Amino acid sequence: MNPQTGAALAAEEAAIYAYGIIGVHLSGKGDIAEARAAEQAHRGRRDYLVGRLDTLKASAAASPAGYELPFAVTDRESALKLAIQIEDGVAQAWRPVLPVTTGNDRGTALAAMTEAAVRATRWRRLAEVSPATLPFPGRAG
Amino acid sequence: MVLTGAVLMSVTGHSRRRVLAGAAGLSVASLAGCGFFDDDPELPEAPDALQPLLDEALALAAAYDRAVVTEPGLATRLTPLADDHRAHAAELARLIGATLPSTSGSSAASAGAVSASAAAGAETVATLRAAEQAAQKTAVAACKAAPAERAALVGSIAASRATHAEALR
């Protein structure tokens, strides 16, 4: 378990937490389905990473007991904004895993980064944010 | 990540001469300028393993440009995607030490990298989407095969192409 993989795990756990709050502020069928699917995907990635930890007999850094949201989430607009930020952040957390992995592990990291980037694009479209894409998903800035 | 950016930049200077075996797209065009080596057929430098990815980025940007000419109403939607591809091409060119063709001549030169349907001049959202999906596969394979110092950039390009396909749904 390298620090990059540990950071990816922390980002997935933060995403699961955030979707709990995002879900509360969404009411449209499409929005809710999207948020549920995203949360499930993040749980899947979290479980994969925890499994890797088990295999490598490493221990994960304890997750913080609570998370501080970057801004108050009070309505659909702020919920979508947080969803975009969360997915961008997950992509950013997986990108540094690419250089420190090879083979299937790199393939999994790339899939996780790509899916987060695609969800960020879906949220941008739902929030009518333009452009809906980034030139370099996973690169901070 | 700031750190990643710094590492990539430092790597750029060292990887210009990197030549990887198995580069698929040994194109005639890239060798045309190598008349210098004609006397010694053993020596022509193989194209960089990322050259096909660069050609594809330019071809996709050109395909979007043609689509916008045909249907100006699509400009708002398609121009940012073309810009993404040009940003990819610029980064790849910097990384492998290639010179980008001037914008005006690029479409004909690089059209071969995209599927025939997308290059035929009748781009629609559906053909562009199919081309993005094919290009994503190229980039995923390139990312898996890349040395560590190139994996992050190529991975981001693969992810970007996937988001383009999503944006065109």
Side-chain angles (χ1 to χ4, degrees):
Chain A
M1 192 71 168
N2 45 48
Q4 290 85 353
T5 313
L9 176 57
E12 293 293 2
E13 288 184 332
I16 294 164
Y17 171 82
Y19 273 108
I21 292 164
I22 290 164
V24 172
H25 296 281
L26 301 177
S27 52
K29 246 184 171 177
D31 284 0
I32 289 173
E34 192 70 36
R36 282 201 183 130
E39 186 179 341
Q40 276 314 111
H42 289 298
R43 286 185 187 282
R45 294 299 178 193
R46 192 262 321 264
D47 293 348
Y48 162 81
L49 288 165
V50 169
R52 294 287 298 151
L53 271 177
D54 248 22
T55 310
L56 300 168
K57 304 278 180 245
S59 60
S63 332
Y67 291 93
E68 205 173 313
L69 294 177
F71 45 82
V73 177
T74 54
D75 52 11
R76 178 177 188 262
E77 192 190 347
S78 50
L80 296 185
K81 189 177 160 194
L82 180 61
I84 294 166
Q85 198 163 314
I86 284 292
E87 298 297 353
D88 284 348
V90 167
Q92 283 165 24
W94 278 103
R95 191 180 195 253
V97 179
L98 300 176
V100 299
T101 49
T102 55
N104 287 342
D105 287 342
R106 186 185 286 177
T108 302
L110 178 58
M113 180 175 97
T114 300
E115 286 164 21
V118 167
R119 282 191 296 269
T121 289
R122 292 169 69 91
W123 285 125
R124 282 187 174 89
R125 289 187 79 184
L126 285 166
E128 296 180 28
V129 172
S130 180
T133 62
L134 301 175
F136 298 100
R139 187 188 278 186
Chain B
M1 296 232 146
V2 174
L3 188 63
T4 313
V7 169
L8 275 176
M9 277 168 66
S10 75
V11 159
T12 307
H14 298 288
S15 53
R16 308 179 62 138
R17 300 234 152 236
R18 178 181 293 279
V19 176
L20 291 179
L26 188 77
S27 75
V28 179
S30 67
L31 293 178
C34 296
F36 193 78
F37 292 115
D38 277 355
D39 291 342
D40 193 344
E42 305 260 67
L43 276 183
E45 207 173 327
D48 191 284
L50 296 183
Q51 185 68 47
L53 210 59
L54 170 56
D55 293 343
E56 212 169 33
L58 291 172
L60 283 163
Y64 281 107
D65 291 347
R66 286 195 301 275
V68 168
V69 169
T70 320
E71 282 193 70
L74 291 173
T76 325
R77 201 168 163 204
L78 301 188
T79 305
L81 307 182
D83 290 344
D84 286 351
H85 287 298
R86 273 186 274 271
H88 299 165
E91 287 269 330
L92 288 167
R94 209 160 56 85
L95 180 67
I96 71 179
T99 310
L100 288 180
S102 66
T103 324
S104 54
S106 66
S107 66
S110 51
V114 165
S115 71
S117 61
E123 284 83 5
T124 62
V125 168
T127 57
L128 289 166
R129 182 158 191 265
E132 290 282 5
Q133 287 169 326
Q136 185 203 346
K137 288 203 179 92
T138 315
V140 168
C143 178
K144 286 180 180 166
E149 70 272 18
R150 291 177 163 198
L153 174 64
V154 178
S156 279
I157 291 172
S160 178
R161 290 174 175 183
T163 64
H164 289 178
E166 180 63 34
L168 294 172
R169 272 161 70 99

